[in-house]
Amino acid sequence: MHKIDLDFEQARTRQLLFRTKLKSILYGAEMDEHAVISPVDSNIGQWIYNHALNVYGDIPEMIELERIHKHIHESAAELLLQYHSGKINEARNNLHKLEPSADIFTKLLTIIEKKVKESNLNFPYDSEELIHTNYRELLELRQSITELDQRIKEQTEELFLSKKFFERKLHNHFSQAPIAICILRGKHFIFEFANDLFLELIDKKADLIGKKLFEALPELQDQHVDELLNGVIHSGQPFIGNELKFSLRRNNILQAGYFNFIIKSLEDELDPAPGLMIICSEVTEQVISKDAAMENQRKLNIAIESANLGTYELNLQTGAINYSDRHIAIFGFSPDEHPSHEDLVKCVHPDDMPIRNEAHKISLQTGSLSYQLRIIWKDQSTHWIQASGKVFFDKHGAAEKIMGTVMDITESKTAEDKIRQSNERLEIAMKAGHLGSYELNYETEEVSFDDICKLHFDFPLDRQVSMDDIRHATHPDDRMELQLKMQHIRNNTGNYSAEYRIITKDNEIRWISTSGKGIYHTDGTLIKLIGVAENITARKRNEEELSLSLSKFRLLADSMPQFVWTSDPEGHLNYFNQSVFDYTGLTPKQVYEEGWLQIVHPDDREVNIEKWMHSIRTGEDFLYEHRFIKNTGEYRWQLSRALPQRNKAGEIQMWVGTSTDIQDQKTMAQYLEGLIIERTKELKNANQELENMNQELRSFTYISSHDLQEPLRKIQTFISRIEETDSLTLSTEGAIYFERIRQSAHKMKTLINDLLTYSRTNVSDKIFETTNLNVLLHEIKTEFTDGLKEKQGTLEIANLPDVQGIPFQLRQLFINLISNSIKFSKPDVPPVIKISASLLLGKDIGNPNAHENELYHQIAISDNGIGFDPEYKNKIFEVFQRLHAKTEFDGTGIGLSICNKIAQNHHGFITAHGELNKGAVFTLYLPFSK
C-alpha cells in the first residue's frame, strides 16, 4: 500500500474512532470527554492540525475539511450537554444528525487524497511508522466498538425487562382503574389490552384481545373512527374529545351514546408497531340532562332578552361575579371587556351608594334584593337601573350568593323627570306671570280657586269660592258681556277668553283676564271649565296712558315745523304730522291712499326704498338726504332720519322719523365745494413746488456726495503731501495755521458725511425686514473693539427682540448712540455701556407719541459718561445742536438728529434722559409686531 493511502486510511480510522467514543459516552461509558469535544485535541484533530494542514494545506478542499471538522465537534458538544442535563434518549436519538456532516468529511478526504496522488507530492512520513500507528488505532477502534456493542446489549436487555415489568404493572393498574381503558397496536388497531370497564362499556368479553378493532366493533367502520386514530398516530399529538356521539351495538341493539375520549400515541423503542391508548367514559345521561337544562336555559334567556334584562350571579364569599352581555352593556361596558364586581360597584353614583348599601343589608335579612339608583358610564353620562335579586344561603344560614336581574330604566326615569320638570316649570311660569288657576264645575256649581286666583279677585284665602261670589264681584257694566261669553262656551266646544272688570271689597276696580277650555260630555254638554286668571289692571292703565301719550305726541308733532312721521315694525308709514300736508298741499286721504313716495323726487325714490327696507330688515337707524316736492312745485332737499322704538325685550314696536329742510345747507355746501376745488388746485401747485424742492434736495445730495467731496479730497491730498515733504520747514506760526487747515478739512468731511446720512433717512423707499437685534448688535460691537480697548470700556448687550425694520438704518442708529457713549465718557473712568429691552403698553410709557393700546419694544442704551443737563433732553435731537464747545468734543451735531429721524421712519420715537456727570440713557421705542 502506498504511503498516501496509509495516511488517509489513518484519517478515516480516527474519524470513525471519534464517532465511536461519542456514542460510547452517550451509552454510559466513562472516558475522557475532552478528546471528543475539542476539535484540536481529538485524534482526528491532531491529524488535521499537526500534519494535514502542513502537508496538504495548498489544496482548497482542506479549508472546507477543517470547517466541517469544527462543526462536527460543536454538534458533539451539544449532544453531551443534552445528555448531562438528563435528556439521554433525546441525545442518543439526535446522533443521526451528525451523519450528513460525517459523510461530507469522508468525501472531502477522498477528494484531497486523489489530488495529492495526482500532484506526486513527496510524502514526509515513514511507511513502517504509518503502518504501526494505523494498526494500533485499529485495535483501539475494535476494542471501543466491542465495548459499545456489549453496553448497548446490556442496556437493551435491562430496558426490555423494565418494559415487561412496567407493562405488567401498568396492565394491573389499568385493570383496576375506575375508567374504561384500552390499548390498540399496529396499523389494523389490534386490541392489546382492555380493562373490565371498557369491555362493559362496549358490551364485549375478554376474547376481544388480539382482534382487530373493526372486526370486533364493525359498527364503528362508518363513523370516521379510523381517520381519528390515524390522525393521532401521524401527528403524535394526543386527542381529547368531550361528549362525542358514537353508535354502539349493545344488547344486540344499535344505540347512540355520548363519550369523553383521550387518545394518546404510545412510543416503544423495542416495538416499532404504532400503539394507541384510549381512555373513555360514557356521559350519555349527563348530555341528555344538560341538553334539557340548556333548552330550559334557552327558553329562559329568550324570556330575559325579550324583557331586555341583564342577569348576574354574585358569589358573596369570594366576590366573583358571572353576568350576561346585556348586564355589562347596561353598565356601559363593551362585550370584550370583563369588568369585576368592584368595577361595576364603582359605576354607582356617589349620592346613591347609601341606597345600594341599605338594600343589600336588608336583603341579608329578607332574602330579597330590590333597589333603583343611578350609575355613571365611562363617558360620564348618567343612567338609571332597577336591580332585583334573590339571596341564597348555605346549610349554616350564611349568605352564599345572589342571583338576579338588572334593567335599564333610564327612559322611564327621564320621562318621569320631564313630566315633573314640566309641572315645575308650569308652576314657576304661572307664579312668575302671576297667573291663578281655576276650575268651574257647571254640574255641581262647585268652584276651585287657587290662592293666586283668590288674590286677584280679593277673596279670602281661607274661604271656599262660589259662583255667586264671582257674579257679585263682576262690574255691573260687564256682567251682560261676560254672561254672553259663558253662554257661547256652553253651546260651542272650544276655548274661552274674556277681559272684564271686578269690584273688590274696598271698592277698587280691577281688570281681570280669564282664559280656559271646556270639558264636555259625549253629547256636547258642558261639564266644567278649567283655565287661568290674570290681573291685568296695570296693563289696562298703561294702555290708557299710552293712548293719552299718543294723543299728546300727535298734538305736539302737529305744532312742529319739521315733518314728523311714524311706521309700524314692517315699515308701513301710518302717521304724518300737519306740516307734511301744509308743505305738500296734499290731503291726508291722498297721502294715506296714494302713498308717501309721491312727494319724493323721482330720481331719489329707488335708493330711498332700498335704504328704508335695509333699516327695516336690520333694525339700523334710517338716514337719507332726498328731495320733497313743495305745493309750489319746487323740490327742496330734506334730511330724513328714523329711529326704532324697542320694548324691554329689544323688539321693535314702531319707527319714529323726522324730515328736516336742508336746502340752505345744500346751497352753502355747493358754494364750499367750489372753494374746495379752487383750494385743491392751489394745493396741487404747492405739491408741485414741493416736488421741485425735493428734486433740488436730491441734486444737493448728489453734489454733496460727489462735487463737494472732490475738492475736499484734493485739499486732504495736498495736506498729506505737505506733511510728508515740508512739515519740517514750516514756521511755528505756519505749522499752527496748517494744523487748523487740516482740522477744518476733517470737520468739513464729517459734516458732509453726516448730512448725507441724514438725507438718506428721508428716502421713500423703506423696505422693512425682520431684523434680529442680537445679531446686529454683536456685529456692531466688533467695530468698537479698539475704541473700547483703548478706554478699557465694556459693552453689555442683553437678550434683544426681533423687530420689523430697515436694517442699515437701525445699524446707523446704534452706531451713533454707542459712538456718543464712548465719545462722552469721563476722563480716566472706563466707559460702561448697557443695552437692554422690554415690552410696554403705550399708555404706560407716558409719552404723547405713543398710542395707548399698542405694545412697544423699549430698548434702552445707558452709559456712565459725563451726561447732560436735563433741560436739554428734547433740544438734543435738533439738527446741528451741540451741548459742548467744538474744541472740547468732535462732532457736527447731526448724529442724534439722524437717530431721531430713523426712529420716526420706524413709526417709533426716541427719548433722552441724563444728569451732569451721572451718565445718560437713550430709550428707543419701536412698535411691537407679531
Side-chain angles (χ1 to χ4, degrees), residues 1-15 17 43-44 47 51 113 123 125-142:
M1 182 178 291
H2 195 272
K3 292 180 183 181
I4 294 175
D5 295 329
L6 287 173
D7 190 30
F8 280 93
E9 281 302 321
Q10 181 185 32
R12 294 185 182 93
T13 301
R14 290 185 175 185
Q15 173 66 3
L17 181 60
N43 290 22
I44 186 62
W47 179 84
H51 167 62
E113 180 183 8
F123 193 74
Y125 286 166
D126 182 42
S127 299
E128 291 185 3
E129 181 184 352
L130 280 174
I131 293 171
H132 177 73
T133 303
N134 282 342
Y135 180 72
R136 178 171 49 80
E137 290 178 352
L138 285 172
L139 289 177
E140 184 181 352
L141 175 62
R142 177 180 179 185

Side-chain angles (χ1 to χ4, degrees), residues 807-823:
F808 81 88
Q809 289 193 11
L810 291 174
R811 181 183 181 87
Q812 186 65 50
L813 181 145
F814 284 108
I815 287 175
N816 288 358
L817 293 177
I818 295 171
S819 297
N820 265 16
S821 295
I822 295 175
K823 181 194 302 183

Side-chain angles (χ1 to χ4, degrees), residues 909-927:
F909 53 93
I910 188 170
T911 63
H913 298 280
E915 292 186 43
L916 287 175
N917 295 319
K918 291 186 178 180
V921 179
F922 291 89
T923 307
L924 173 67
Y925 295 93
L926 297 177

Side-chain angles (χ1 to χ4, degrees), residues 144-333:
S144 297
I145 293 173
T146 302
E147 290 176 356
L148 178 60
D149 289 341
Q150 182 63 28
R151 185 170 295 278
I152 293 173
K153 181 179 180 182
E154 290 174 357
Q155 290 191 10
T156 303
E157 289 177 356
E158 290 176 3
L159 182 62
F160 180 77
L161 293 174
S162 297
K163 179 189 175 188
K164 288 296 182 182
F165 172 76
F166 175 75
E167 285 180 351
R168 286 196 299 269
K169 189 173 181 179
L170 186 62
H171 280 215
N172 185 40
H173 286 315
F174 285 172
S175 298
Q176 301 177 22
I179 193 168
I181 300 174
C182 78
I183 296 176
L184 304 177
R185 184 71 68 179
K187 63 179 182 179
H188 295 296
F189 309 118
I190 298 173
F191 280 100
E192 183 180 278
F193 171 81
N195 67 355
D196 293 341
L197 287 178
F198 185 84
L199 295 174
E200 181 181 347
L201 181 69
I202 63 175
D203 193 22
K204 300 294 179 182
K205 296 181 179 181
D207 59 0
L208 179 77
I209 303 303
K211 293 184 179 180
K212 297 178 181 179
L213 172 64
F214 296 119
E215 289 179 355
L217 301 171
E219 62 270 24
L220 296 178
Q221 186 75 42
D222 298 326
Q223 297 186 49
H224 306 288
V225 174
D226 56 339
E227 298 176 8
L228 177 61
L229 299 179
N230 283 318
V232 175
I233 291 174
H234 294 150
S235 67
Q237 300 296 322
F239 171 80
I240 300 175
N242 293 321
E243 300 179 3
L244 298 180
K245 184 178 181 181
F246 290 103
S247 296
L248 292 174
R249 185 170 296 278
R250 295 184 287 192
N251 295 325
N252 292 323
I253 299 174
L254 189 63
Q255 299 175 345
Y258 294 89
F259 304 88
N260 290 344
F261 277 98
I262 299 177
I263 306 175
K264 187 178 183 308
S265 63
L266 298 176
E267 296 181 0
D268 191 345
E269 295 179 357
L270 302 179
D271 190 351
L276 294 172
M277 176 186 290
I278 302 175
I279 302 173
C280 64
S281 60
E282 185 171 6
V283 290
T284 303
E285 292 183 2
Q286 295 93 313
V287 170
I288 293 174
S289 299
K290 186 178 74 172
D291 288 345
M294 289 178 63
E295 179 62 21
N296 292 335
Q297 183 65 39
R298 187 183 66 83
K299 294 178 180 178
L300 177 61
N301 290 341
I302 292 173
I304 291 173
E305 289 176 4
S306 62
N308 211 17
L309 295 174
T311 60
Y312 67 91
E313 179 180 339
L314 173 63
N315 189 317
L316 296 175
Q317 297 177 355
T318 65
I321 185 171
N322 293 319
Y323 39 68
S324 65
D325 290 345
R326 177 56 186 160
H327 182 276
I328 63 171
I330 289 174
F331 278 80
F333 293 93

Side-chain angles (χ1 to χ4, degrees), residues 614-834:
H614 175 77
S615 296
I616 296 300
R617 287 194 306 271
T618 63
E620 297 175 1
D621 295 352
F622 172 76
L623 185 66
Y624 183 51
E625 293 181 3
H626 46 176
R627 290 162 288 182
F628 287 177
I629 189 169
K630 197 175 180 180
N631 51 17
T632 61
E634 173 192 3
Y635 279 101
R636 292 182 63 84
W637 282 97
Q638 307 286 331
L639 173 63
S640 295
R641 180 192 301 272
L643 303 178
Q645 308 301 304
R646 303 176 185 269
N647 59 17
K648 292 181 179 180
E651 299 170 341
I652 296 176
Q653 302 298 301
M654 63 182 297
W655 291 78
V656 177
T658 61
S659 298
T660 305
D661 191 305
I662 58 171
Q663 183 64 45
D664 294 339
Q665 293 91 317
K666 276 286 186 180
T667 303
M668 179 59 69
Q670 291 172 358
Y671 170 73
L672 292 176
E673 284 179 3
L675 292 178
I676 291 172
I677 292 171
E678 182 179 352
R679 180 59 180 159
T680 302
K681 290 180 179 178
E682 295 176 357
L683 184 60
K684 185 176 180 181
N685 294 333
N687 286 337
Q688 185 60 45
E689 291 179 5
L690 180 61
E691 176 61 28
N692 294 336
M693 292 174 65
N694 286 336
Q695 183 61 38
E696 291 177 1
L697 178 60
R698 286 193 288 270
S699 299
F700 169 74
T701 301
Y702 179 83
I703 293 170
S704 299
S705 178
H706 297 85
D707 298 345
L708 289 181
Q709 290 202 49
E710 179 59 28
L712 182 59
R713 281 194 292 269
K714 290 182 178 180
I715 292 172
Q716 288 177 323
T717 300
F718 294 142
I719 289 172
S720 298
R721 290 181 180 178
I722 292 173
E723 284 181 334
E724 292 173 359
T725 59
D726 301 323
S727 60
L728 298 177
T729 62
L730 293 173
S731 65
T732 302
E733 186 176 2
I736 293 172
Y737 292 148
F738 182 78
E739 178 60 24
R740 289 181 179 178
I741 292 171
R742 189 184 64 78
Q743 291 178 358
S744 297
H746 176 73
K747 289 179 180 179
M748 184 65 178
K749 181 179 180 181
T750 303
L751 178 61
I752 292 173
N753 288 337
D754 286 350
L755 285 172
L756 283 173
T757 301
Y758 187 80
S759 67
R760 288 193 187 102
T761 60
N762 291 312
V763 296
S764 59
D765 187 14
K766 302 173 184 177
I767 301 175
F768 284 76
E769 301 176 4
T770 300
T771 305
N772 187 321
L773 293 183
N774 290 300
V775 176
L776 183 67
L777 262 296
H778 282 87
E779 290 176 355
I780 293 172
K781 184 177 180 180
T782 59
E783 298 183 14
F784 293 98
T785 301
D786 294 336
L788 290 171
K789 185 176 181 181
E790 180 182 348
K791 293 195 174 188
Q792 298 181 345
T794 58
L795 174 59
E796 300 176 7
I797 303 172
N799 188 29
L800 302 179
D802 292 351
V803 300
Q804 290 295 319
I806 308 168
F808 81 88
Q809 289 193 11
L810 291 174
R811 181 183 181 87
Q812 186 65 50
L813 181 145
F814 284 108
I815 287 175
N816 288 358
L817 293 177
I818 295 171
S819 297
N820 265 16
S821 295
I822 295 175
K823 181 194 302 183
F824 297 108
S825 60
K826 296 177 183 177
D828 301 326
V829 175
V832 178
I833 307 167
K834 297 180 180 180

